[in-house]
Amino acid sequence: MAVLLAFISLLLVPLNPACFTDPAQEKVSPIINLKLGSRKKMLTWNSRRNVTWQECTIDAPLDPPISQTPQVAEDGTYFCTFSNSVLHRGATLTVNVTSEGHEFKATLTFCNSGREGSGAVNFSCLIYNVRFLNCSWAQGPAAPADVRYHLYMWASLHGNVSECAQYVLDPTGTRVGCHFDQLGEPQTTDNYFFLVNGTSNETDIQFLDFTPFVATEIEKYNPPANLTARNNGSYYVIQWDNPVTRFNISSHVLYYELDIQRKGSFSKTDPVFQRGENRNEYLMPSSAVTGVHTVRVRVRHVYGDTWSEWGPAQPFGFPEKSFTGFLVVLIGLVVGAAALSSIGLMFLCKRFSLKQKLFPPIPQVKRELAGSFTPTREMAWDGDNPSAGSQEPEDFLTVEEMKLFAGREAEVVGPAPALNPYENITAVRGRPGQ
């Protein structure tokens, strides 16, 4: 009997609830207050029970899933940051934990609210002239006419957010760009974060976010300075200086393109690419340089895609003595010689013509006419000379006729007057003494 009473009294003792786990409690997830900060892309939550393992994951369209181990803030909040992901296409975020031997999972689906195609497109930014930053974008294809875009920028994950102060407008007054002229002190670790959203009286506007812009890779450098080309006998030594940059970077992350062309050539030479050095130099064999060449240089970051403008072209080499040039000179000499010959021939012809006018042939008495004169006297011959009558009559000119010819030689203009060949001529035949 006593044993039975003791057993009943044991059944009436209240059970300690701490010694047992409520089956309903085992099915309740320890994950609470799951939130996403879209600007910093930070997923946060709290846990109402101890957990032994946790993992967070983001799965966005066009990108592979990214998982990481959460961190714990000072207030006990767990968080994961997905700065290298984009959210404007939507995303699914999950948190997996293990608590008291059980696995739990919480899911958050993020959507970019607003009319499809209303957000900005074709966004790009670049740093130029060391301290200026320009960003540009285009209006979304489905954006309403009254859309008003807003650009926000911050220089680090936990940095202060600032809105653009100098917007660039298109002809219709829509914001399509922004200019920043105060970038602060440069740091080689700078990453620029951007977010473009918008407002409209007609509809909600979708936002546009990006992965971080690495500041050192979006700088558009000035063209390389002090480009020179000199010949040391064996090579043409082409040298140039590294550009002045916003950030203190190694010259080895600079990437150069050299454009070397031969003047007057219709074919183009392939460009030369070269990594930066402390002393930039390119050697071109002198034997490969025929004629005058030009060289120009531009530069970009080795991991970037924004080239500087081309620097001024630097000429080098010597003009080539080509066969064409020699042929042109030869033809010129031949033409010149022909012209001189023609001029000389014309001069001789004119001179001969003038001589004919100044010194016409002296008329001679024809033998037929001379035989008709009546001889008045015979000439005497000495010794063995032919006897009288054996010689043909000889012609003689009088003194008056000689004077007449001398007077004609002094005339320089006009044709010579005709002379009577028989005027004042005395033909004498016969022997002396008759």
Side-chain angles (χ1 to χ4, degrees), residues 147-167:
V147 64
R148 188 178 179 86
Y149 292 111
H150 305 269
L151 173 64
Y152 300 92
M153 184 193 78
W154 56 102
S156 64
L157 185 60
H158 303 289
N160 296 326
V161 179
S162 60
E163 184 180 359
C164 172
Q166 300 181 49
Y167 283 104

Side-chain angles (χ1 to χ4, degrees), residues 10 26 90 102 251 366:
L10 179 60
E26 291 180 359
H102 297 278
S251 59
K366 291 185 177 181

